[in-house]
Amino acid sequence: MSNEKVMIKKINIRVLSLLGIVALLAFIFNSCGNNNDGGSSQIQLNSFGPSSLMRGEQLKFIGTNLNKVTSIVLPNNVEVTTFVTKTPTLLVIDVPNETTDGKVTLKTPQGDIVTKTNLVISEPITIKSITPSTARPGDVIKIEGTYLSLVASVTFGVNKTVIDFESQSETALEVIVPDDAQTAKIVLADGQAIPNTIESASVFNVTLPAVTSISPTTVKAGANLTINGTDLDLTKDITFVGGTRILEADFVSASATQIVVKVPDNAKEGQLKLRPLSEVEVLSPALKLVAPVITNVTPDPAKNKGTLTVTGTDLDLVSTVVFGGGKTGSIQGGGSATSITVSIPADAVDGKVRFGAKSDKWDSTQTVTFVKPTISNFTSSVNTASSPSITINGTDLDLVSSVIFGGDFTSKKITVNSSTQIVVVVTPGSVSGNITLVTTNGTEVESSNSLTIVPDMPDVTSISPINFLPGMTMTISASSGMDIPFDVIFPSGTTGVVANMFVSKTSTTLKIVVPIGAKSGRIKLVNYANEIYEIPIDIKLLGADPVTDASLVFFDFNGTGKDSWWGSASIKSTDPTDNTAYAAINSSLNGWTDLFWRNSGNNFPGAKVGTDVANYVVKIDINVYAAITGGNIKIRLQDSDNGEGDFWYAIGPAAPTGQGNYTVPVTGGWTTVSIPISSFKDNYGWGSNTITDMSKIDVFGMAFDNGSSTVNIAIDNVRFEKTN
């Protein structure tokens, strides 16, 4: 081994500084007890130094008449009588090896001169070699150098300090490498209160285990793995990817060249970490793991809450089975490497099934679909008051978790549940329509037939008046059932407003005060079972709609050419709706009676509507003073050359079905009737053809027919209005 470069580290800077100051003072000031220079024969020491030096170096004394000095006594009683230089002003001597720290005495004929400060001897601990340069923990290494007898401790890598040596001399030191030492430079320290430290010039290598190969390279979890290499007996534990650590005591076998260890179930692929006591990790070649392989799954389609039989290889590795939708199944006991049985979650859906081992190896080759229930028949009609349940027959109905009824009401009240039949309680508030079965995995199966739901509600026949103001008393009539407990909700915003002031109530009639905030629309009844019934009669808040486009008005009775050319209607000059004239009829009529007419397309805005009839309505401002109890009022739009046709819309008890065939009640003020152009039909309103081009119409007006009644009404502002 080559000689090590000497490296002496003085740890305490303060000590070095003080020593330098002492040396300087020793050179500057007289070291004897008498500084009197009164006579030329006086022997006087002014300084000496250097104060800190190594044995064998030269020590100098400066003063006067020093040639008279007979000898110099160095500590500890080392007397020097041979001088390298001896003059009156300078003495030079070689420092013997026996010299130690202390004060120096100059022997003279005039008496002893003792230095005031100490001579400091530097001990030159050096490292010349370390053999061997690489060693195992527990081996003895030899350090050679100088002044090694002064060494109090040897420190290996990571502060592993040894104070007990196998042998120690001036030139050699033998020490055992600690079990947990790491590769690093070696540091020697002396026994001073503030130790001097000496570091080796090169790194001392501590032997680590080394892996040359593993077998098999692809291994099954739970099987034995053989690790080959050198110094493997230094290994204290092995960590697999995934975090499982196997301690030395749990190795199957171990020697300096081979370790056999059982692969943990949750081991992952990758390099193993071998760790000695020094905790310096050593990596192995990458480990590969056997994965489960699936060859077949049955049945397919499978059934939720059933079982799946799986065949393949290495299936004993499977620890997790994930179905479509991320739903995890459970593996039943008694499986083998070639076959396992898996319980299917109730909410698994169609898709890939993933089979995973604890090693994070997966097989995702298989797709499983799931059976769906079928409906063969079910109860066609249900009365929520007397029989609120329905029976559904079919297949795989045990998969059904809920049933959705019309109106998007869901019921989970299944009182009978088998694979072929379920009995379900109809949710209050449900309406007629198809039903939908919802399975445990969220699959929906809709029926092809509709369920008729008869709510426990009255059979409403009329509302009077249909034009109202808040605070008015309104009468709702029915053939029966008005005494059923229910709330009356008038239209208002999105939720409506509840009427809570009842005037009287019988099985056929309800008189109720219209609540503040009620708007135009339809009244809803909500019964004790939270079922909702909407009365199919529009009610309207009193007050005529404003005219949005005066150019679309074709009767205003204001003497502007938009008047009646013939008919029994009279013109009145005071109209509260717009302070202009209006038409009035007040007669007992029987059979056909012309009310007001005009023709030849005079001042008729049909061309503005043209063929865009789907986006227009006819609006009429009307005030009914007495109910029309017979016949009907007819509104006519005709192409006189019969190219387009003759179209009618009627309001009154004798009106065609689908038009305004009801008793026209007293409005209590002006209101606006809105009629889609598409509602005008041929054959006096009883036909099926509708207007296609309004620009062809040249006869228009109103008449009474088909019965008898007192007709006491006012009419104004007959017009078209665009809705979109």
Coordinates of all heavy atoms in Angstrom, one line a residue, residues 296-303 307-309 323 344 349-351 353 365-371:
N296 N -61.8 -18.6 -19.1 CA -63.2 -18.7 -19.4 C -64.0 -18.2 -18.1 O -63.5 -18.5 -17.0 CB -63.6 -20.1 -19.8 CG -65.1 -20.1 -20.2 OD1 -65.5 -19.2 -20.9 ND2 -65.8 -21.1 -19.9
V297 N -65.1 -17.6 -18.3 CA -66.0 -17.3 -17.2 C -67.4 -17.7 -17.6 O -67.8 -17.6 -18.8 CB -66.0 -15.8 -16.9 CG1 -64.7 -15.3 -16.3 CG2 -66.4 -14.9 -18.1
T298 N -68.2 -18.3 -16.7 CA -69.6 -18.7 -16.9 C -70.4 -18.4 -15.7 O -69.9 -18.4 -14.5 CB -69.6 -20.2 -17.2 OG1 -69.0 -20.9 -16.1 CG2 -68.9 -20.5 -18.5
P299 N -71.7 -18.1 -15.8 CA -72.4 -17.9 -17.1 C -72.2 -16.6 -17.7 O -71.8 -15.6 -17.0 CB -73.9 -18.1 -16.7 CG -73.9 -17.6 -15.3 CD -72.6 -17.9 -14.7
D300 N -72.5 -16.4 -18.9 CA -72.5 -15.1 -19.6 C -73.7 -15.1 -20.6 O -73.6 -15.8 -21.6 CB -71.2 -14.8 -20.3 CG -71.1 -13.4 -20.9 OD1 -71.9 -12.6 -20.4 OD2 -70.3 -13.2 -21.8
P301 N -74.7 -14.3 -20.4 CA -74.8 -13.3 -19.3 C -75.0 -13.9 -17.9 O -75.6 -15.0 -17.8 CB -76.1 -12.5 -19.7 CG -76.9 -13.5 -20.5 CD -75.9 -14.3 -21.3
A302 N -74.5 -13.1 -17.0 CA -74.6 -13.5 -15.6 C -75.7 -12.8 -14.9 O -76.3 -11.9 -15.5 CB -73.2 -13.3 -14.9
K303 N -76.0 -13.2 -13.7 CA -77.1 -12.5 -13.0 C -76.5 -11.9 -11.7 O -75.7 -12.5 -10.9 CB -78.1 -13.6 -12.6 CG -79.4 -12.9 -12.0 CD -80.5 -14.0 -11.8 CE -81.8 -13.4 -11.3 NZ -82.9 -14.3 -11.2
T307 N -73.4 -16.0 -8.9 CA -72.0 -16.4 -8.9 C -71.5 -16.5 -10.3 O -72.2 -16.8 -11.2 CB -71.8 -17.7 -8.1 OG1 -72.5 -18.8 -8.7 CG2 -72.2 -17.6 -6.6
L308 N -70.1 -16.4 -10.4 CA -69.4 -16.5 -11.6 C -68.3 -17.6 -11.4 O -67.6 -17.5 -10.5 CB -68.8 -15.1 -12.0 CG -68.2 -15.0 -13.4 CD1 -69.4 -14.9 -14.4 CD2 -67.4 -13.7 -13.5
T309 N -68.3 -18.5 -12.3 CA -67.3 -19.6 -12.3 C -66.2 -19.2 -13.2 O -66.4 -18.9 -14.4 CB -67.9 -20.9 -12.6 OG1 -68.9 -21.3 -11.7 CG2 -66.8 -22.0 -12.6
F323 N -65.8 -5.9 -11.1 CA -66.7 -6.0 -12.2 C -67.0 -4.6 -12.8 O -66.4 -3.6 -12.3 CB -68.1 -6.5 -11.7 CG -68.0 -8.0 -11.4 CD1 -67.6 -8.4 -10.2 CD2 -68.4 -9.0 -12.3 CE1 -67.5 -9.8 -9.8 CE2 -68.4 -10.3 -12.0 CZ -67.9 -10.7 -10.8
I344 N -71.2 -12.3 -7.3 CA -71.4 -11.1 -8.2 C -72.1 -10.0 -7.4 O -73.2 -10.3 -6.8 CB -72.2 -11.4 -9.5 CG1 -71.5 -12.5 -10.2 CG2 -72.4 -10.2 -10.3 CD1 -72.3 -13.1 -11.4
V349 N -72.3 -3.8 -13.4 CA -72.9 -3.6 -14.7 C -72.0 -4.2 -15.8 O -70.9 -4.7 -15.5 CB -73.0 -2.0 -15.0 CG1 -73.8 -1.4 -13.9 CG2 -71.6 -1.4 -15.0
D350 N -72.6 -4.2 -17.0 CA -71.9 -4.8 -18.1 C -70.5 -4.2 -18.3 O -70.3 -3.0 -18.1 CB -72.7 -4.6 -19.4 CG -74.0 -5.3 -19.5 OD1 -74.3 -6.1 -18.5 OD2 -74.8 -5.1 -20.4
G351 N -69.5 -5.1 -18.7 CA -68.2 -4.6 -18.9 C -67.1 -5.6 -18.6 O -67.4 -6.7 -18.3
V353 N -64.2 -7.6 -16.7 CA -64.0 -8.0 -15.3 C -62.5 -8.1 -15.1 O -61.8 -8.8 -15.9 CB -64.7 -9.3 -15.0 CG1 -64.5 -9.7 -13.6 CG2 -66.2 -9.3 -15.3
T365 N -59.1 -9.7 -19.5 CA -59.4 -10.2 -20.9 C -60.9 -10.5 -21.0 O -61.4 -10.6 -22.2 CB -58.6 -11.4 -21.3 OG1 -58.8 -12.4 -20.3 CG2 -57.1 -11.1 -21.3
Q366 N -61.6 -10.7 -19.9 CA -63.0 -11.2 -20.0 C -64.0 -10.1 -19.9 O -63.8 -9.2 -19.0 CB -63.2 -12.3 -18.9 CG -62.2 -13.4 -19.0 CD -62.4 -14.3 -20.2 OE1 -63.5 -14.5 -20.7 NE2 -61.2 -14.7 -20.8
T367 N -65.1 -10.2 -20.7 CA -66.2 -9.3 -20.6 C -67.4 -10.0 -20.1 O -67.7 -11.2 -20.6 CB -66.5 -8.6 -21.9 OG1 -65.3 -7.8 -22.3 CG2 -67.7 -7.7 -21.8
V368 N -68.2 -9.5 -19.2 CA -69.4 -10.1 -18.7 C -70.6 -9.1 -18.8 O -70.5 -8.0 -18.5 CB -69.2 -10.5 -17.2 CG1 -70.6 -11.0 -16.6 CG2 -68.2 -11.6 -17.0
T369 N -71.7 -9.7 -19.4 CA -72.9 -8.9 -19.4 C -73.9 -9.5 -18.4 O -73.7 -10.6 -17.9 CB -73.5 -9.0 -20.8 OG1 -73.8 -10.4 -21.2 CG2 -72.6 -8.3 -21.9
F370 N -75.0 -8.7 -18.1 CA -75.9 -9.2 -17.1 C -77.3 -9.2 -17.6 O -77.7 -8.4 -18.5 CB -75.8 -8.2 -15.9 CG -74.5 -8.3 -15.2 CD1 -73.5 -7.4 -15.5 CD2 -74.3 -9.3 -14.2 CE1 -72.3 -7.5 -14.8 CE2 -73.1 -9.4 -13.5 CZ -72.1 -8.5 -13.8
V371 N -78.0 -10.2 -17.1 CA -79.4 -10.4 -17.5 C -80.3 -9.3 -17.1 O -79.9 -8.6 -16.1 CB -80.0 -11.8 -17.0 CG1 -79.2 -12.9 -17.5 CG2 -80.0 -11.8 -15.5

